[in-house]
Amino acid sequence: YNIGICYSRLKKYTKAIEYYTKALDLDENDISAYYNRGRNYSRITRYEEAIEDFTKAIKLEKFDDRLYYNRGI
C-alpha cells in the first residue's frame, strides 16, 4: 500500500495501481486501497475501473463523502 502512495506521488500511476492491487489481494476490505487505486485509475482515464473501486469502497464505508465525490467526478 505505502509503495503505491510513493509511485502515485511520482506520477507513475500504473505502477501505483499494481501495488494497491497487491494490497487488496492481502485485504479485500481495505477502503484506502480501493480509494487510492480508484484515484489512480482516474488519472490515467480508466474511468470504469475507477467507478468500480469507489463503489466497492462505498459499500464498505457508506459515510465517507470523499468516496462519493470521487465517484461522481
Side-chain angles (χ1 to χ4, degrees), residues 24-73:
L24 289 164
D25 288 342
L26 297 172
D27 180 3
E28 63 185 26
N29 294 314
D30 188 336
I31 298 163
S32 294
Y34 282 118
Y35 171 75
N36 284 305
R37 189 173 71 173
R39 287 184 43 107
N40 281 275
Y41 276 135
S42 291
R43 290 177 177 137
I44 60 171
T45 66
R46 290 175 56 183
Y47 300 119
E48 293 296 322
E49 290 100 328
I51 290 169
E52 287 176 24
D53 277 356
F54 293 128
T55 300
K56 287 177 186 174
I58 288 167
K59 287 180 182 176
L60 295 169
E61 178 55 64
K62 295 178 179 133
F63 302 106
D64 189 336
D65 295 340
R66 68 190 174 134
L67 300 172
Y68 292 96
Y69 174 80
N70 280 283
R71 186 178 69 175
I73 290 181

